[in-house]
């Protein structure tokens, strides 16, 4: 056996070892990335605990670990909500509570690794859980709004309206027959304003763009400051109240 022939298996083992090491590093990096997300604060978790359910007329329900429902006594409409990317869904509980107190049954859907792109069809089956609710709208925050628009592009007849919170579509919804509103905080430094403006062509001509003065990107939820965001000059409670007002108006216009 020649010297080169003897060295070949050793070289193969070295190459294999390097490949395994690289894959291990990539796997660890991916694990760390998907598990590094924005967590709901104590105020949001208190809403989830439903401590005031009897007083405010809203009951919080876990839907088989796949979604969280905020059910008012007499729902006038339903809302499916897609959370923002890498944000714990529970962080949006205060906003959903605000909407539910206005009579809107709200359902926050959940995604693997808190990323909507791993389950773009998370809204499937939500309406069927609440057959008495006849009118539905869909909403999403940031990347969740992108995913919500993708779902609407395939299920346009299922929703009378769309609310985009610091978000915009990448799918063409220009022929969508429902109402659309986009809400953006004036201090939002995360959203790409150029893409927001360009995406207006993908929405119906009568779609409304509403600025929340003093609001920022993270203020739609309760998960603390987001990297790169501007400093809000209003409280998250005020931003969420104005958002709930806009969603209520969207429901009434639907």
């Amino acid at each position: 056996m020649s010297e080169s022939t003897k060295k070949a298996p050793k070289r193969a083992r070295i190459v294999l070892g390097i490949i395994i090491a690289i894959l291990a590093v990539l796997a660890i990096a991916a694990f760390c990335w998907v598990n590094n997300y924005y967590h709901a604060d104590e105020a949001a978790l208190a809403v989830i605990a439903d401590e005031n359910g009897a007083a405010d007329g809203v009951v919080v329900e876990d839907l088989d670990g796949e979604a969280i429902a905020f059910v008012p006594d007499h729902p006038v409409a339903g809302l499916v909500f897609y959370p923002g990317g890498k944000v714990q869904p529970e962080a949006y509980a205060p906003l959903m509570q605000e909407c539910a107190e206005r009579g809107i049954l709200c359902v926050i859907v959940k995604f693997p690794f808190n990323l909507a792109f791993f389950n773009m069809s998370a809204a499937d089956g939500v309406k069927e859980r609440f057959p008495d609710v006849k009118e539905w709208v869909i909403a999403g925050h940031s990347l969740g709004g992108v995913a919500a628009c993708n779902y609407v592009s395939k299920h346009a007849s299922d929703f009378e309206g769309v609310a985009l919170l610091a978000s915009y579509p990448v799918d063409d919804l220009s022929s969508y027959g429902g109402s659309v509103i986009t809400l953006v905080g004036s201090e939002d430094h995360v959203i790409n304003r150029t893409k927001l403006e360009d995406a207006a062509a993908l929405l119906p001509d009568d779609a409304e763009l509403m600025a929340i003065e003093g609001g920022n990107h993270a203020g739609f939820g309760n998960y603390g400051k987001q990297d790169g965001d501007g400093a809000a000059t209003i409280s998250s409670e005020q931003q969420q109240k104005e958002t709930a007002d806009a969603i209520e108006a969207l429901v009434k216009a639907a």
Side-chain angles (χ1 to χ4, degrees), residues 93-216:
L95 174 58
M96 297 298 100
Q97 178 74 19
E98 280 279 352
C99 292
E101 290 178 5
R102 290 160 168 77
I104 304 169
L105 188 154
C106 300
V107 179
I108 306 175
V109 295
K110 296 182 178 183
F111 314 112
F113 310 116
N114 297 311
L115 287 167
F117 297 132
F118 286 113
N119 187 11
M120 302 280 272
S121 299
D124 282 350
V126 171
K127 294 177 61 176
E128 288 72 17
R129 286 179 177 267
F130 303 96
D132 292 337
V133 180
K134 303 304 180 185
E135 294 188 353
W136 287 82
V137 297
I138 191 169
H141 177 222
S142 196
L143 287 175
V146 176
C149 286
N150 176 267
Y151 190 82
V152 172
S153 71
K154 300 177 177 66
H155 305 85
S157 62
D158 288 348
F159 301 98
E160 281 71 35
V162 179
L164 300 175
L165 315 184
S167 187
Y168 47 82
V170 295
D171 296 279
D172 188 0
L173 298 182
S174 58
S175 60
Y176 174 64
S179 301
V180 180
I181 185 169
T182 302
L183 296 94
V184 181
S186 63
E187 309 309 309
D188 186 340
H189 294 178
V190 175
I191 194 169
N192 187 312
R193 302 277 175 171
T194 300
K195 290 184 177 179
L196 175 66
E197 293 175 4
D198 292 344
L202 299 175
L203 294 173
D205 292 338
D206 60 354
E208 181 182 356
L209 175 62
M210 173 182 169
I212 298 182
E213 292 301 324
N216 63 2

Side-chain angles (χ1 to χ4, degrees), residues 28-112:
I28 293 171
F31 178 83
C32 292
W33 188 79
V34 298
N35 283 284
N36 179 24
Y37 59 89
Y38 294 100
H39 294 259
D41 67 15
E42 291 184 1
L45 295 177
V47 174
I48 293 294
D50 201 21
E51 297 170 353
N52 299 314
D56 57 34
V58 177
V59 175
V60 180
E61 298 180 5
D62 175 78
L63 303 182
D64 303 325
E66 298 177 352
I68 307 167
F70 299 76
V71 186
D73 286 338
H74 304 288
V76 297
L79 166 70
V80 179
F81 187 82
Y82 275 51
K86 298 186 72 177
V87 178
Q88 185 178 2
E90 288 82 355
Y92 298 95
L95 174 58
M96 297 298 100
Q97 178 74 19
E98 280 279 352
C99 292
E101 290 178 5
R102 290 160 168 77
I104 304 169
L105 188 154
C106 300
V107 179
I108 306 175
V109 295
K110 296 182 178 183
F111 314 112

